[in-house]
mmCIF file of all heavy atoms in Angstrom:
data_model
loop_
_atom_site.group_PDB
_atom_site.id
_atom_site.type_symbol
_atom_site.label_atom_id
_atom_site.label_comp_id
_atom_site.label_asym_id
_atom_site.label_seq_id
_atom_site.Cartn_x
_atom_site.Cartn_y
_atom_site.Cartn_z
ATOM 1 N N MET Q 4 25.723 40.219 19.618
ATOM 2 C CA MET Q 4 26.374 39.048 20.204
ATOM 3 C C MET Q 4 25.356 37.932 20.334
ATOM 4 O O MET Q 4 24.154 38.171 20.356
ATOM 5 C CB MET Q 4 26.911 39.413 21.583
ATOM 6 C CG MET Q 4 25.850 39.923 22.546
ATOM 7 S SD MET Q 4 26.445 40.200 24.214
ATOM 8 C CE MET Q 4 26.450 38.506 24.782
ATOM 9 N N ARG Q 5 25.865 36.712 20.409
ATOM 10 C CA ARG Q 5 25.017 35.594 20.777
ATOM 11 C C ARG Q 5 25.210 35.398 22.274
ATOM 12 O O ARG Q 5 26.333 35.426 22.760
ATOM 13 C CB ARG Q 5 25.386 34.340 20.006
ATOM 14 C CG ARG Q 5 25.075 34.417 18.550
ATOM 15 C CD ARG Q 5 24.691 33.052 18.013
ATOM 16 N NE ARG Q 5 23.386 32.662 18.504
ATOM 17 C CZ ARG Q 5 22.246 32.955 17.877
ATOM 18 N NH1 ARG Q 5 22.268 33.631 16.754
ATOM 19 N NH2 ARG Q 5 21.102 32.567 18.375
ATOM 20 N N TRP Q 6 24.114 35.210 22.970
ATOM 21 C CA TRP Q 6 24.186 35.182 24.420
ATOM 22 C C TRP Q 6 25.011 34.017 24.943
ATOM 23 O O TRP Q 6 25.715 34.117 25.926
ATOM 24 C CB TRP Q 6 22.756 35.110 24.985
ATOM 25 C CG TRP Q 6 22.677 35.447 26.424
ATOM 26 C CD1 TRP Q 6 22.774 34.592 27.482
ATOM 27 C CD2 TRP Q 6 22.520 36.756 26.986
ATOM 28 N NE1 TRP Q 6 22.669 35.287 28.657
ATOM 29 C CE2 TRP Q 6 22.510 36.607 28.392
ATOM 30 C CE3 TRP Q 6 22.379 38.027 26.442
ATOM 31 C CZ2 TRP Q 6 22.351 37.692 29.239
ATOM 32 C CZ3 TRP Q 6 22.229 39.098 27.298
ATOM 33 C CH2 TRP Q 6 22.222 38.933 28.675
ATOM 34 N N ASN Q 7 24.940 32.852 24.270
ATOM 35 C CA ASN Q 7 25.524 31.649 24.850
ATOM 36 C C ASN Q 7 26.863 31.229 24.249
ATOM 37 O O ASN Q 7 27.433 30.244 24.668
ATOM 38 C CB ASN Q 7 24.531 30.488 24.713
ATOM 39 C CG ASN Q 7 24.136 30.256 23.257
ATOM 40 O OD1 ASN Q 7 24.408 31.072 22.396
ATOM 41 N ND2 ASN Q 7 23.512 29.135 22.991
ATOM 42 N N VAL Q 8 27.355 31.963 23.277
ATOM 43 C CA VAL Q 8 28.666 31.633 22.696
ATOM 44 C C VAL Q 8 29.452 32.927 22.534
ATOM 45 O O VAL Q 8 28.929 34.017 22.591
ATOM 46 C CB VAL Q 8 28.538 30.930 21.322
ATOM 47 C CG1 VAL Q 8 27.820 29.617 21.460
ATOM 48 C CG2 VAL Q 8 27.830 31.822 20.328
ATOM 49 N N ARG Q 9 30.733 32.754 22.324
ATOM 50 C CA ARG Q 9 31.595 33.930 22.200
ATOM 51 C C ARG Q 9 31.646 34.444 20.773
ATOM 52 O O ARG Q 9 32.707 34.454 20.141
ATOM 53 C CB ARG Q 9 32.998 33.600 22.684
ATOM 54 C CG ARG Q 9 33.072 33.299 24.173
ATOM 55 C CD ARG Q 9 34.496 33.017 24.584
ATOM 56 N NE ARG Q 9 34.624 32.744 26.019
ATOM 57 C CZ ARG Q 9 34.823 33.673 26.929
ATOM 58 N NH1 ARG Q 9 34.952 34.915 26.583
ATOM 59 N NH2 ARG Q 9 34.918 33.340 28.197
ATOM 60 N N SER Q 10 30.518 34.814 20.241
ATOM 61 C CA SER Q 10 30.511 35.393 18.905
ATOM 62 C C SER Q 10 29.974 36.815 18.987
ATOM 63 O O SER Q 10 28.939 37.070 19.594
ATOM 64 C CB SER Q 10 29.656 34.557 17.953
ATOM 65 O OG SER Q 10 28.298 34.658 18.264
ATOM 66 N N THR Q 11 30.693 37.723 18.393
ATOM 67 C CA THR Q 11 30.283 39.133 18.342
ATOM 68 C C THR Q 11 30.433 39.654 16.926
ATOM 69 O O THR Q 11 31.147 39.079 16.099
ATOM 70 C CB THR Q 11 31.124 39.989 19.299
ATOM 71 O OG1 THR Q 11 32.503 39.834 18.959
ATOM 72 C CG2 THR Q 11 30.905 39.589 20.740
ATOM 73 N N HIS Q 12 29.786 40.748 16.679
ATOM 74 C CA HIS Q 12 29.770 41.341 15.341
ATOM 75 C C HIS Q 12 29.669 42.843 15.538
ATOM 76 O O HIS Q 12 28.819 43.309 16.298
ATOM 77 C CB HIS Q 12 28.556 40.789 14.574
ATOM 78 C CG HIS Q 12 28.515 41.163 13.147
ATOM 79 N ND1 HIS Q 12 27.465 40.811 12.311
ATOM 80 C CD2 HIS Q 12 29.356 41.875 12.356
ATOM 81 C CE1 HIS Q 12 27.681 41.288 11.107
ATOM 82 N NE2 HIS Q 12 28.803 41.929 11.111
ATOM 83 N N TYR Q 13 30.530 43.602 14.867
ATOM 84 C CA TYR Q 13 30.547 45.049 15.021
ATOM 85 C C TYR Q 13 30.450 45.745 13.665
ATOM 86 O O TYR Q 13 30.974 45.247 12.662
ATOM 87 C CB TYR Q 13 31.852 45.501 15.683
ATOM 88 C CG TYR Q 13 32.001 45.070 17.117
ATOM 89 C CD1 TYR Q 13 32.657 43.888 17.436
ATOM 90 C CD2 TYR Q 13 31.498 45.848 18.166
ATOM 91 C CE1 TYR Q 13 32.798 43.484 18.753
ATOM 92 C CE2 TYR Q 13 31.642 45.455 19.485
ATOM 93 C CZ TYR Q 13 32.289 44.264 19.760
ATOM 94 O OH TYR Q 13 32.432 43.871 21.074
ATOM 95 N N ALA Q 14 29.814 46.882 13.663
ATOM 96 C CA ALA Q 14 29.865 47.731 12.486
ATOM 97 C C ALA Q 14 31.272 48.275 12.331
ATOM 98 O O ALA Q 14 31.966 48.525 13.343
ATOM 99 C CB ALA Q 14 28.878 48.891 12.642
ATOM 100 N N ASP Q 15 31.717 48.475 11.112
ATOM 101 C CA ASP Q 15 33.076 48.965 10.878
ATOM 102 C C ASP Q 15 33.328 50.308 11.571
ATOM 103 O O ASP Q 15 34.419 50.591 12.021
ATOM 104 C CB ASP Q 15 33.329 49.117 9.380
ATOM 105 C CG ASP Q 15 33.469 47.767 8.680
ATOM 106 O OD1 ASP Q 15 33.696 46.763 9.366
ATOM 107 O OD2 ASP Q 15 33.348 47.752 7.442
ATOM 108 N N SER Q 16 32.288 51.115 11.665
ATOM 109 C CA SER Q 16 32.436 52.456 12.216
ATOM 110 C C SER Q 16 32.744 52.466 13.717
ATOM 111 O O SER Q 16 33.188 53.483 14.247
ATOM 112 C CB SER Q 16 31.174 53.271 11.953
ATOM 113 O OG SER Q 16 30.048 52.644 12.536
ATOM 114 N N VAL Q 17 32.503 51.346 14.402
ATOM 115 C CA VAL Q 17 32.719 51.311 15.854
ATOM 116 C C VAL Q 17 33.773 50.294 16.280
ATOM 117 O O VAL Q 17 34.111 50.212 17.468
ATOM 118 C CB VAL Q 17 31.408 51.045 16.616
ATOM 119 C CG1 VAL Q 17 30.329 52.049 16.201
ATOM 120 C CG2 VAL Q 17 30.926 49.618 16.418
ATOM 121 N N LYS Q 18 34.287 49.521 15.346
ATOM 122 C CA LYS Q 18 35.299 48.515 15.691
ATOM 123 C C LYS Q 18 36.495 49.149 16.366
ATOM 124 O O LYS Q 18 36.996 50.183 15.938
ATOM 125 C CB LYS Q 18 35.753 47.773 14.429
ATOM 126 C CG LYS Q 18 34.839 46.662 13.983
ATOM 127 C CD LYS Q 18 35.385 45.960 12.744
ATOM 128 C CE LYS Q 18 34.447 44.899 12.260
ATOM 129 N NZ LYS Q 18 34.912 44.277 11.004
ATOM 130 N N GLY Q 19 36.932 48.514 17.449
ATOM 131 C CA GLY Q 19 38.080 49.032 18.179
ATOM 132 C C GLY Q 19 37.721 50.088 19.199
ATOM 133 O O GLY Q 19 38.548 50.460 20.040
ATOM 134 N N ARG Q 20 36.501 50.613 19.142
ATOM 135 C CA ARG Q 20 36.070 51.661 20.098
ATOM 136 C C ARG Q 20 34.947 51.167 21.016
ATOM 137 O O ARG Q 20 34.878 51.564 22.174
ATOM 138 C CB ARG Q 20 35.592 52.893 19.339
ATOM 139 C CG ARG Q 20 36.640 53.531 18.455
ATOM 140 C CD ARG Q 20 36.178 54.870 17.901
ATOM 141 N NE ARG Q 20 34.984 54.742 17.063
ATOM 142 C CZ ARG Q 20 33.834 55.378 17.300
ATOM 143 N NH1 ARG Q 20 33.714 56.180 18.350
ATOM 144 N NH2 ARG Q 20 32.794 55.224 16.478
ATOM 145 N N PHE Q 21 34.071 50.344 20.482
ATOM 146 C CA PHE Q 21 32.927 49.845 21.246
ATOM 147 C C PHE Q 21 33.110 48.372 21.561
ATOM 148 O O PHE Q 21 33.682 47.618 20.762
ATOM 149 C CB PHE Q 21 31.634 50.000 20.446
ATOM 150 C CG PHE Q 21 31.165 51.409 20.228
ATOM 151 C CD1 PHE Q 21 31.957 52.517 20.541
ATOM 152 C CD2 PHE Q 21 29.904 51.655 19.715
ATOM 153 C CE1 PHE Q 21 31.521 53.803 20.348
ATOM 154 C CE2 PHE Q 21 29.443 52.928 19.512
ATOM 155 C CZ PHE Q 21 30.247 54.016 19.823
ATOM 156 N N THR Q 22 32.575 47.955 22.706
ATOM 157 C CA THR Q 22 32.616 46.560 23.102
ATOM 158 C C THR Q 22 31.255 46.144 23.616
ATOM 159 O O THR Q 22 30.692 46.790 24.511
ATOM 160 C CB THR Q 22 33.665 46.309 24.188
ATOM 161 O OG1 THR Q 22 34.948 46.736 23.722
ATOM 162 C CG2 THR Q 22 33.739 44.830 24.548
ATOM 163 N N ILE Q 23 30.736 45.056 23.068
ATOM 164 C CA ILE Q 23 29.466 44.500 23.532
ATOM 165 C C ILE Q 23 29.777 43.302 24.418
ATOM 166 O O ILE Q 23 30.643 42.482 24.103
ATOM 167 C CB ILE Q 23 28.564 44.107 22.334
ATOM 168 C CG1 ILE Q 23 27.186 43.662 22.807
ATOM 169 C CG2 ILE Q 23 29.219 43.045 21.463
ATOM 170 C CD1 ILE Q 23 26.191 43.467 21.670
ATOM 171 N N TYR Q 24 29.100 43.218 25.563
ATOM 172 C CA TYR Q 24 29.323 42.083 26.441
ATOM 173 C C TYR Q 24 28.109 41.891 27.328
ATOM 174 O O TYR Q 24 27.196 42.719 27.325
ATOM 175 C CB TYR Q 24 30.597 42.267 27.278
ATOM 176 C CG TYR Q 24 30.581 43.420 28.257
ATOM 177 C CD1 TYR Q 24 30.323 43.213 29.612
ATOM 178 C CD2 TYR Q 24 30.832 44.727 27.832
ATOM 179 C CE1 TYR Q 24 30.324 44.260 30.504
ATOM 180 C CE2 TYR Q 24 30.827 45.788 28.732
ATOM 181 C CZ TYR Q 24 30.581 45.544 30.070
ATOM 182 O OH TYR Q 24 30.568 46.586 30.959
ATOM 183 N N ARG Q 25 28.119 40.815 28.102
ATOM 184 C CA ARG Q 25 26.957 40.490 28.913
ATOM 185 C C ARG Q 25 27.375 40.101 30.316
ATOM 186 O O ARG Q 25 28.511 39.713 30.568
ATOM 187 C CB ARG Q 25 26.191 39.315 28.283
ATOM 188 C CG ARG Q 25 26.928 37.990 28.406
ATOM 189 C CD ARG Q 25 26.297 36.911 27.571
ATOM 190 N NE ARG Q 25 26.896 35.609 27.818
ATOM 191 C CZ ARG Q 25 28.038 35.189 27.317
ATOM 192 N NH1 ARG Q 25 28.748 35.999 26.549
ATOM 193 N NH2 ARG Q 25 28.500 33.991 27.583
ATOM 194 N N ASP Q 26 26.410 40.181 31.213
ATOM 195 C CA ASP Q 26 26.563 39.680 32.577
ATOM 196 C C ASP Q 26 25.437 38.663 32.776
ATOM 197 O O ASP Q 26 24.262 39.052 32.921
ATOM 198 C CB ASP Q 26 26.468 40.829 33.581
ATOM 199 C CG ASP Q 26 26.686 40.367 35.021
ATOM 200 O OD1 ASP Q 26 26.292 39.222 35.355
ATOM 201 O OD2 ASP Q 26 27.246 41.147 35.803
ATOM 202 N N ASN Q 27 25.778 37.393 32.749
ATOM 203 C CA ASN Q 27 24.751 36.360 32.847
ATOM 204 C C ASN Q 27 23.966 36.457 34.158
ATOM 205 O O ASN Q 27 22.745 36.282 34.168
ATOM 206 C CB ASN Q 27 25.388 34.983 32.729
ATOM 207 C CG ASN Q 27 25.832 34.693 31.321
ATOM 208 O OD1 ASN Q 27 25.397 35.321 30.372
ATOM 209 N ND2 ASN Q 27 26.746 33.738 31.186
ATOM 210 N N ALA Q 28 24.664 36.712 35.241
ATOM 211 C CA ALA Q 28 24.002 36.750 36.539
ATOM 212 C C ALA Q 28 22.946 37.838 36.600
ATOM 213 O O ALA Q 28 21.924 37.689 37.271
ATOM 214 C CB ALA Q 28 25.036 36.931 37.652
ATOM 215 N N LYS Q 29 23.202 38.924 35.904
ATOM 216 C CA LYS Q 29 22.255 40.055 35.908
ATOM 217 C C LYS Q 29 21.338 40.032 34.686
ATOM 218 O O LYS Q 29 20.461 40.912 34.582
ATOM 219 C CB LYS Q 29 23.023 41.380 35.943
ATOM 220 C CG LYS Q 29 23.826 41.568 37.218
ATOM 221 C CD LYS Q 29 24.546 42.913 37.207
ATOM 222 C CE LYS Q 29 25.322 43.121 38.489
ATOM 223 N NZ LYS Q 29 26.051 44.425 38.489
ATOM 224 N N ASN Q 30 21.527 39.060 33.803
ATOM 225 C CA ASN Q 30 20.722 39.000 32.565
ATOM 226 C C ASN Q 30 20.740 40.344 31.847
ATOM 227 O O ASN Q 30 19.703 40.847 31.375
ATOM 228 C CB ASN Q 30 19.298 38.575 32.881
ATOM 229 C CG ASN Q 30 18.652 37.782 31.764
ATOM 230 O OD1 ASN Q 30 19.302 36.994 31.090
ATOM 231 N ND2 ASN Q 30 17.355 37.982 31.559
ATOM 232 N N THR Q 31 21.932 40.905 31.761
ATOM 233 C CA THR Q 31 22.073 42.264 31.232
ATOM 234 C C THR Q 31 23.136 42.300 30.159
ATOM 235 O O THR Q 31 24.193 41.692 30.287
ATOM 236 C CB THR Q 31 22.451 43.246 32.357
ATOM 237 O OG1 THR Q 31 21.395 43.275 33.326
ATOM 238 C CG2 THR Q 31 22.658 44.650 31.825
#
């Protein structure tokens, strides 16, 4: 993912099962 915009990219093998996201307040 890009930290400052809503762009994500997934490997085909995990699409629909995995989700990448961030918590800005926790820098995590």
Side-chain angles (χ1 to χ4, degrees):
M4 58 174 282
R5 292 213 71 90
W6 196 269
N7 57 348
V8 298
R9 293 182 179 271
S10 70
T11 57
H12 187 183
Y13 293 93
D15 288 342
S16 59
V17 306
K18 278 181 183 176
R20 300 189 298 122
F21 291 11
T22 303
I23 186 171
Y24 64 101
R25 71 191 187 280
D26 183 326
N27 288 341
K29 296 181 179 179
N30 211 36
T31 298

